């Protein structure tokens, strides 16, 4: 019986948005019967009655909701949990394109449901120029009008030369939900009804090709609405506790809350307390133990003291045979109604009351019970469990390990990239787990990397760098037992590429057709060498990386939207029907399918919490599977064994001074995560540090003085801080809510201002000489280029529109001290270039000079300009050793000034006023661990 009820409630949730919107249109304000003209949508008459009562309740209080939120005779958009458009008469409408639906969804959420045509073009057709974008919008508008005509209703869309708006006869479930929450106030019945309207995440499973700005807007809106639902449920739980602690409504609300926020301890305490009041102490104890185990396994923490105290109280009463007083004392409402106390095993319900405003409560209580069944089902049954770690074992070797492990199908051998301690030659080695003697598989002078086992387990594929990564890499296949290799192809532009076997005859690899393009997945035919693009990353993104293939042919990969922002995606075997699994916008360092194919492991800094995570292949909330403070990178899972191998990093960074080839400590940097140094006009030092727990800006009057914290932001990732030439302001880039933009702050940390807020990643700010403009790098329009942003005044810093100063191509850059010369890199290409800084956007890059060729793309942050000198790191791709060099630009004289060993690639360095370098030194040790999962 319980299983049948759960299935029914689950089907009820799927059909609920359409039915509830319809019933809101037809319900009488006096509570009269509602025509059940769409009851067939939702099986189970008791489910339909619950929804109808909720509709009546909201309509009886419709004075709290604006007219446009009442869907009577309206065009209706369902955006929560399902994506559907219905005409005023209830007819479902299938739009011809997904972008048509996206346009309507965006307009519905805009203020006054109006948006500029230019904004819609930039949002949905980012890769088109201005004129093409307007044509796309015009065509989409014409298509929508043709599709929506023919209904006996007012024309739904109005437009003028500059904007498009939806007229008053539109409604959406997301707007009704949000307005219902606000209008409910502290009325528990109304608030419960409002929470019931949240039936799923905003535009879930909806994605567009080549529209990264729209995807980012959806992600922000989805999280905003989810946060509203969580906040409303928390408020409702507080109201329940204040009125009647631990009754059925409290249990229902708590269960709904933990499905959205699994770590809300107040909700877990409410569940435990409700179990106790129902004389189910064993269930309360089991719930606590499961929650405590989950916290330990996923977060490495213990429950709050209040949660533990409640558990100890319940466990103590059970051991002594005591009964909580609340269980033996009649309920205060029951006493008023002359009812008997609730007996063990009976259902807890509210007694009947006189017909007042509170009369609505039994209807909502019944709906809460249904929601509790649904939530409990999803929480306990439909929420897939992440694999649990049974044992974590270090893999010991005398080699200097670079990483990139590849575990054999049977889980007994691991191949990785490494070198002997006193050698510069990086090759592939194979180690049988349990042995300490690795076997060397390759012996080429170039770097061999990115090993991937074939489905048969007899061969591996790997890449080999060419000229230190300055030319495209080559792809090889080796028979492991014979150590015989053959080249099967060459990369297009990449100096190194991640690999995976799609099947016995094809390989997946990551590459870009042109240097400025984002990386995508390619399919390589092993016999013919033919290459076919498989994925379509959005213009303006960094592209796709870390391909992995499940045993049934599904493809997973990480899509990198920026330097510090990536998420996990999947494709089917043919490369279409892509799906976004995560909305983390953190750094993804590697991923792998689990043995069952039901989910994916991935290493990520999601939410600032670096670790190894697991997400179900069908989507859902990621679950942490690692514990402790290890920094996880790559992961490789055996196909036929319950074992994985992970790459971890012991990574400590601090800033040091390089003088005459020797490193010296500086007082301002205490580590272990200081980076991005910048020297001010008066010798001040500025840098990013996590010493306070989150990334913040710190500064000191000089490198050898103690530092002080300047900013106190929450949940952001900072980079590239730089002083204005007048010393009054600091510009920097920050990743926040998945978006990287430029910010401005006073030199003392006050007056924080946001300068940019577009959908593309803005980074690397550099000040003009007069402190009135900021230059920066961005992929606006789909390709990397350099832009200039005028700042209106130092006293009142605001931003005007940014204008490009280079054609597409240049990425990371520096300016000369006189502001006349631009030094820059091309993303993915070796070398440093220069040219005069033009006063306006030129058609081509004229006067370009190649200054340095021996500069690897992986060191794109590690260079600086100071007067007549260019400082840069010279070391091959994938290696951490090399030299720091200084080139005198007028004469071309080039000299080594120190070792680049240990120089962090995740930070820039700076030139102090005395000519010494402030460099981010990285003490990095890569270690491999074998992970055995619980059976």
């Amino acid at each position: 019986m319980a299983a049948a009820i759960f299935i029914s409630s689950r089907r009820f949730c799927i059909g609920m948005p359409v039915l509830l919107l319809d019933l809101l249109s037809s319900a009488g304000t006096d509570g009269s019967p509602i025509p059940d003209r769409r009851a067939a949508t939702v099986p189970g008459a008791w489910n339909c009655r619950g929804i109808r009562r909720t509709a009546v309740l909201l309509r009886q209080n419709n004075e709290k909701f604006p007219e446009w939120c009442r869907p009577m005779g309206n065009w209706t958009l369902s955006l929560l949990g399902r994506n559907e458009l219905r005409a005023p008469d209830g007819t479902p409408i299938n739009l011809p394109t997904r972008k048509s639906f996206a346009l309507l969804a965006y307009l519905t959420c805009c203020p006054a449901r109006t948006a500029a045509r230019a904004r819609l073009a930039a949002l949905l057709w980012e890769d088109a120029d201005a004129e093409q974008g307007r044509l796309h919008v015009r065509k989409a508008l014409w298509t929508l009008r043709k599709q929506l005509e023919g209904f006996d209703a007012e024309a739904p869309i109005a437009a003028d030369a500059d904007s498009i708006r939806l007229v008053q006869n539109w409604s959406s479930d997301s707007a009704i939900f949000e307005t219902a929450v606000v209008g409910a106030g502290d009325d528990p019945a109304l608030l419960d009804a409002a929470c019931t309207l949240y039936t799923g995440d905003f535009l879930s499973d909806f994605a567009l090709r080549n529209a990264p700005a729209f995807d980012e807007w959806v992600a922000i809106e989805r999280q905003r609405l989810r946060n509203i639902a969580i906040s409303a449920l928390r408020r409702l739980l507080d109201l329940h506790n204040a009125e009647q602690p631990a009754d059925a409504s409290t249990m229902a609300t708590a269960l709904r809350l933990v499905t959205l926020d699994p770590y809300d301890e107040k909700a877990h305490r409410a569940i435990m307390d409700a179990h106790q009041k129902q004389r189910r102490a064993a269930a309360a104890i089991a719930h606590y133990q499961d929650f405590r185990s989950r916290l330990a396994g996923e977060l490495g923490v213990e429950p709050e003291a209040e949660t533990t105290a409640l558990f100890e109280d319940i466990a103590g009463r059970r051991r002594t045979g005591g009964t909580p007083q609340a269980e033996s004392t009649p309920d205060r409402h029951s006493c008023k109604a002359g009812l008997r106390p609730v007996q063990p095993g009976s259902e807890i319900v509210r007694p009947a009351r006189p017909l007042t405003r509170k009369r609505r409560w039994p209807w909502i209580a019944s709906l809460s019970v249904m929601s509790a069944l649904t939530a409990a089902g999803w929480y306990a049954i439909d929420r897939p469990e992440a694999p649990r770690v049974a044992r974590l074992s270090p893999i010991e070797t005398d080699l200097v390990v670079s990483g990139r492990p590849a575990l054999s199908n049977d889980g007994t051998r691991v191949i990785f990239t490494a070198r002997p301690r006193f050698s510069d030659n990086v090759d592939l080695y194979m180690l049988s787990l349990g042995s300490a003697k690795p076997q060397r598989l390759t012996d080429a002078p170039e770097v061999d990397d990115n090993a991937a086992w074939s489905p048969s387990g007899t061969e591996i594929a790997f890449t080999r760098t060419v000229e230190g990564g300055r030319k495209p890499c080559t792809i090889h296949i080796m028979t492991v037992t014979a150590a015989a290799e053959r080249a099967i192809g060459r990369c297009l532009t990449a100096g190194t590429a991640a690999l995976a076997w799609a099947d016995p005859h094809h390989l997946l690899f990551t590459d870009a057709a042109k240097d400025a393009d984002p990386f995508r997945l390619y399919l390589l035919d092993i016999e013919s060498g033919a290459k076919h693009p498989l994925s379509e990353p959005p213009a303006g993104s960094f592209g796709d990386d870390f391909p992995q293939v499940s045993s049934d042919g599904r493809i997973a990969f990480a899509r990198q939207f920026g330097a510090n922002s990536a998420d996990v995606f999947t494709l089917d075997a043919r490369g279409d029907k892509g799906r976004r699994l995560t909305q983390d916008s953190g750094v993804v360092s590697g991923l792998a399918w689990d043995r069952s194919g039901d989910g994916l492991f991935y290493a990520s800094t999601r939410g600032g919490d670096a670790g190894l995570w697991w997400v179900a292949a069908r989507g859902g909330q990621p679950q942490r599977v690692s514990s402790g403070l290890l920094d996880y990178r790559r992961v490789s899972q055996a196909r036929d064994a319950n074992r994985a191998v992970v790459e971890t990093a012991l990574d400590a960074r601090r800033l040091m001074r390089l003088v005459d080839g020797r490193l010296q400590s500086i007082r301002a940097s205490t580590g272990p995560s200081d980076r991005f140094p910048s020297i001010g006009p008066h010798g001040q030092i500025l840098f990013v540090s996590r010493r306070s727990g989150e990334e913040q800006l710190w500064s000191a009057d000089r490198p050898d003085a103690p530092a002080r914290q300047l900013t106190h932001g929450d949940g952001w990732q900072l980079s590239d801080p730089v002083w204005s030439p007048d010393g009054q302001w600091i510009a920097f880039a920050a990743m926040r809510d998945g978006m990287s933009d430029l910010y401005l702050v006073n030199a003392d940390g006050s007056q924080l201002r946001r300068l940019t807020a577009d959908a593309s990643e803005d980074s690397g700010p550099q000040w003009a000489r007069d402190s009135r403009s900021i230059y920066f790098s961005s992929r606006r329009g789909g390709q990397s280029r350099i832009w200039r942003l005028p700042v209106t005044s130092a006293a009142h810093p605001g931003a005007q529109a940014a204008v490009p100063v280079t054609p597409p191509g240049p990425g990371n850059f520096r300016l000369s001290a006189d502001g006349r010369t631009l030094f820059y890199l091309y993303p993915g290409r070796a070398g440093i270039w220069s040219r005069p800084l033009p006063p306006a956007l030129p058609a081509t890059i004229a006067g370009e000079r190649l200054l340095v060729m021996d500069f690897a793309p992986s060191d794109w942050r590690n260079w600086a300009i100071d007067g007549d000198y260019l400082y840069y790191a010279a070391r091959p791709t994938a290696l951490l050793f090399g030299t720091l060099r200084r080139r005198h630009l007028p004469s071309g004289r080039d000299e080594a000034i120190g070792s680049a060993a240990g120089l962090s690639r995740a930070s820039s360095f700076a030139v102090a006023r005395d000519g010494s370098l402030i460099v981010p030194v990285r003490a990095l040790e890569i270690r491999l661990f074998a992970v055995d999962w619980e059976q």
Side-chain angles (χ1 to χ4, degrees), residues 59 63 82 156 158 199 217 220 339 435 438 562 595 654 672 715 731 898 908:
R59 285 295 309 277
E63 71 279 359
R82 58 187 295 164
T199 55
W217 170 77
I220 294 171
L339 301 179
S435 169
R595 184 185 179 187
R654 61 178 305 184
S908 55

Side-chain angles (χ1 to χ4, degrees), residues 328-637:
S328 58
T329 303
D331 174 80
R332 57 187 175 96
H333 298 303
S334 299
C335 290
K336 289 182 182 180
L339 301 179
R340 296 179 180 178
V342 174
Q343 297 301 316
S346 64
E347 183 181 8
I348 299 180
V349 295
R350 286 183 181 269
R353 295 189 184 180
L355 186 58
T356 63
R357 187 181 182 192
K358 292 295 184 180
R359 182 66 182 87
R360 311 183 201 103
W361 184 253
W363 301 345
I364 306 305
S366 65
L367 187 60
S368 297
V369 172
M370 290 186 290
S371 301
L373 290 170
T374 304
W378 280 108
Y379 182 71
I381 300 176
D382 260 24
R383 182 174 185 259
E385 286 294 326
R388 294 176 180 261
V389 177
R391 183 171 63 251
L392 186 70
S393 308
I395 299 175
E396 303 292 350
T397 175
D398 291 334
L399 299 169
V400 178
V401 177
S402 298
R404 271 81 72 192
L407 186 60
S408 62
N409 296 345
D410 60 3
T412 62
R413 295 168 294 169
V414 60
I415 296 175
F416 53 93
T417 303
R419 64 178 176 86
R421 292 197 175 276
F422 302 104
S423 171
D424 295 342
N425 195 6
V426 178
D427 290 297
L428 296 178
Y429 290 79
M430 182 171 66
L431 182 70
S432 295
L433 296 183
S435 169
K437 296 181 179 180
Q439 173 189 351
R440 188 172 193 166
L441 296 181
T442 62
D443 193 14
E446 297 87 359
V447 175
D448 296 328
D449 204 356
N450 300 303
W453 286 90
S454 67
S456 66
T458 60
E459 295 179 307
I460 61 167
F462 64 94
T463 61
R464 179 167 289 159
T465 61
V466 179
E467 295 186 11
R470 291 185 293 274
K471 291 186 176 181
C473 60
T474 55
I475 301 175
H476 300 250
I477 286 181
M478 169 184 286
T479 303
V480 175
T481 54
E485 66 176 71
R486 69 184 191 277
I488 62 167
R490 182 180 291 274
C491 300
L492 300 173
T493 61
T496 185
L499 303 177
W501 290 75
D503 57 53
H505 308 291
H506 297 87
L507 282 174
L508 289 174
F509 70 101
T510 55
D511 210 336
K514 296 184 295 185
D515 288 329
D517 289 350
F519 270 48
R520 62 171 61 190
L521 304 186
Y522 282 84
L523 193 66
L524 171 65
D525 188 298
I526 294 174
E527 295 303 321
S528 68
K531 305 176 181 72
H532 171 70
L534 203 59
S535 67
E536 295 187 11
S541 68
F542 280 36
D544 301 336
D545 205 354
F546 310 127
Q548 293 291 318
V549 181
S550 66
S551 57
D552 60 359
R554 289 169 294 160
I555 300 167
F557 60 94
R559 175 157 291 169
Q560 296 181 306
F561 297 101
N564 299 306
S565 174
D567 278 299
V568 179
F569 285 70
T570 59
L571 296 172
D572 69 10
R574 296 174 298 175
D576 55 9
K577 298 182 181 178
R579 182 179 184 185
R580 186 173 187 166
L581 296 187
T582 66
Q583 299 282 348
D584 300 339
S585 299
V587 176
V588 175
S589 305
L591 57 94
W593 288 94
D594 65 18
R595 184 185 179 187
S596 67
D598 292 337
L600 287 146
F601 302 110
Y602 69 108
S604 174
T605 60
R606 64 180 309 268
D609 185 11
L612 187 63
W613 300 79
W614 180 90
V615 63
R618 67 186 185 192
Q621 184 72 16
Q623 303 173 48
R624 203 178 201 274
V625 297
S626 63
S627 59
L629 300 177
L630 286 176
D631 184 0
Y632 289 82
R633 304 293 176 85
R634 301 293 182 91
V635 55
S636 178
Q637 168 68 41

Side-chain angles (χ1 to χ4, degrees), residues 587-902:
V587 176
V588 175
S589 305
L591 57 94
W593 288 94
D594 65 18
R595 184 185 179 187
S596 67
D598 292 337
L600 287 146
F601 302 110
Y602 69 108
S604 174
T605 60
R606 64 180 309 268
D609 185 11
L612 187 63
W613 300 79
W614 180 90
V615 63
R618 67 186 185 192
Q621 184 72 16
Q623 303 173 48
R624 203 178 201 274
V625 297
S626 63
S627 59
L629 300 177
L630 286 176
D631 184 0
Y632 289 82
R633 304 293 176 85
R634 301 293 182 91
V635 55
S636 178
Q637 168 68 41
R639 283 196 176 192
D640 305 322
N642 223 19
R643 173 179 291 169
V645 169
V646 294
E647 169 192 327
T648 68
L650 299 175
D651 194 359
R653 298 182 181 95
R654 61 178 305 184
L655 303 177
M656 302 187 76
R657 188 195 300 270
L658 180 66
V659 181
D660 297 328
R662 304 183 67 176
L663 291 172
Q664 302 175 357
S665 298
I666 60 174
R667 188 178 179 189
S669 178
T670 59
S673 57
D674 300 344
R675 54 193 186 130
F676 294 113
S678 175
I679 302 298
H682 307 299
Q684 320 98 301
I685 185 172
L686 173 71
F687 56 94
V688 175
S689 178
R690 294 192 65 181
R691 64 182 69 179
S692 62
E694 293 201 49
E695 288 193 354
Q696 306 293 347
L697 294 182
W698 291 69
S699 71
D701 293 335
R702 59 186 188 280
D704 293 316
R708 61 188 179 277
Q709 184 174 339
L710 291 182
T711 61
H712 298 81
D714 180 30
W716 57 7
Q717 295 175 308
L718 309 184
S719 64
D720 308 313
V722 59
W723 295 93
S724 62
D726 59 14
Q728 297 185 36
W729 298 94
I730 298 167
F732 62 97
M735 173 73 70
R736 204 168 196 168
D737 298 325
M739 300 179 67
S740 177
D741 290 299
L742 302 184
Y743 290 79
L744 195 66
V745 69
N746 194 291
D748 62 4
S750 63
Q751 300 186 44
L752 177 67
R753 304 289 181 90
R754 186 174 185 170
L755 295 181
T756 63
D758 63 292
S760 299
E761 181 176 24
D762 301 332
S763 62
Q766 299 281 312
W767 286 90
R769 286 187 65 191
D770 59 3
S771 300
R772 301 293 295 272
S773 296
I774 293 174
Y775 294 83
F776 65 97
S777 176
S778 179
R779 288 179 173 262
R780 301 180 182 195
Q783 291 182 296
S784 177
R785 65 170 75 192
I786 299 167
W787 298 69
R788 182 172 64 87
L789 181 70
V791 178
T792 54
S793 71
H796 302 284
Q800 301 174 11
V803 295
V805 297
T806 69
N812 192 264
F813 72 99
R814 307 285 188 267
L815 292 175
S816 62
D818 60 10
R820 297 178 179 178
T821 305
L822 182 67
F823 302 87
Y824 53 93
L825 316 176
Y826 286 102
R829 290 172 57 183
I832 302 174
W833 282 262
S834 73
R835 55 156 297 169
L837 182 64
L841 175 63
T844 60
I845 299 183
E848 181 176 78
R849 294 175 54 206
L850 176 61
L851 300 178
V852 172
M853 183 63 186
D854 189 21
F855 184 78
S858 55
D859 268 313
W860 61 281
R861 294 189 187 274
N862 281 317
W863 64 293
I865 297 291
D866 184 62
D868 290 336
Y869 287 93
L870 163 65
Y871 297 82
Y872 66 99
R875 55 184 174 179
T877 298
L879 299 183
L880 292 178
F881 46 83
T883 58
L884 278 169
R885 305 191 68 83
R886 178 174 59 195
R887 174 178 288 261
H888 185 246
L889 295 174
S891 67
R893 184 178 71 252
D894 198 290
E895 59 182 339
I897 59 173
S899 172

Side-chain angles (χ1 to χ4, degrees), residues 158-181:
D160 55 32
D162 297 319
S163 63
I164 298 175
R165 67 182 177 87
L166 300 180
V167 296
Q168 289 296 316
N169 58 341
W170 279 87
S171 63
S172 69
D173 56 356
S174 61
I176 292 174
F177 158 69
E178 189 172 355
T179 308
V181 169

Side-chain angles (χ1 to χ4, degrees), residues 19-35 48-63 65 189-190 193-194 197 355 357 359-361 363-364 367:
L19 180 60
L20 184 52
L21 291 177
D22 187 43
L23 294 174
L24 279 169
S25 304
S26 56
T29 58
D30 59 353
S32 58
I34 301 171
C48 298
R49 287 196 298 271
I51 300 174
R52 288 198 295 276
R53 289 166 178 168
T54 303
V56 172
L57 181 60
L58 292 175
R59 285 295 309 277
Q60 286 175 330
N61 291 271
N62 65 3
E63 71 279 359
F65 309 126
L190 285 176
L197 297 175
L355 186 58
R357 187 181 182 192
R359 182 66 182 87
R360 311 183 201 103
W361 184 253
W363 301 345
I364 306 305
L367 187 60

